[in-house]
């Protein structure tokens, strides 16, 4: 789970681990049901520690075969996801995309 409390990409069908009492309604985007990462054994690879290139590339390899990569990336960009690998992009890569989009919108590029 990201440190900011947001819901990470779905890595498996929800078994209620994140909401055992049903107190908080967590609505997952529908596209997550088609994600390649839902079958990944170790979801932690999507939140690699600094320097953990093995986990980083394992996550990116999973994303590269994901049928909802574009939706995932769009979601992460639109929701300012600050942690983890989303749509095959790291936090830094997403920040660069957002910066480029802002520059394009401002006519600076
Ligand atoms: S693009 Fe990657 S993180 Fe996003 S849903 Fe697909 S496998 Fe999961």
């Amino acid at each position: 789970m990201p440190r900011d409390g947001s819901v990470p990409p779905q890595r498996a069908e929800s078994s209620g681990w994140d909401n055992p009492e049903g107190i908080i309604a967590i609505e997952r985007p529908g596209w997550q049901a088609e994600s390649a990462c839902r079958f990944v054994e170790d979801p932690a690879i999507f939140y690699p520690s600094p320097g953990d290139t093995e986990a980083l590339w394992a996550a990116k390899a999973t994303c590269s075969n994901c049928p909802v990569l574009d939706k995932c990336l769009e979601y992460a960009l639109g929701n300012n996801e600050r942690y983890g690998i989303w749509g095959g992009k790291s936090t830094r890569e997403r920040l660069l995309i957002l910066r480029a989009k802002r520059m394009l919108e401002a006519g600076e590029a």
Side-chain angles (χ1 to χ4, degrees):
M1 174 89 47
R3 280 176 241 147
D4 67 353
S6 65
V7 179
Q10 182 179 357
R11 312 302 186 197
E13 290 300 319
S14 176
S15 59
W17 62 269
D18 51 355
N19 190 20
E21 304 297 326
I23 296 171
I24 303 168
I26 297 176
E27 196 166 318
R28 296 181 188 278
W31 53 263
Q32 289 189 346
E34 301 170 50
S35 68
C37 54
R38 72 188 187 278
F39 300 118
V40 169
E41 273 186 40
D42 181 10
I45 63 170
F46 289 90
Y47 298 94
S49 301
D52 187 355
T53 53
E54 189 175 327
L56 174 69
W57 288 110
K60 285 181 169 252
T62 302
C63 294
S64 71
N65 293 311
C66 181
V68 292
L69 185 148
D70 291 344
K71 290 177 183 172
C72 179
L73 181 57
E74 187 179 323
Y75 176 87
L77 294 173
N79 289 282
N80 199 25
E81 287 292 347
R82 297 174 62 190
Y83 303 104
I85 306 299
W86 293 76
K89 303 294 184 199
S90 66
T91 301
R92 179 174 165 73
E93 290 168 328
R94 291 195 306 276
L95 287 172
L96 290 172
I97 291 169
L98 287 171
R99 183 185 301 166
K101 286 176 82 170
R102 279 195 300 271
M103 289 176 71
L104 280 172
E105 289 167 3
E108 298 172 6

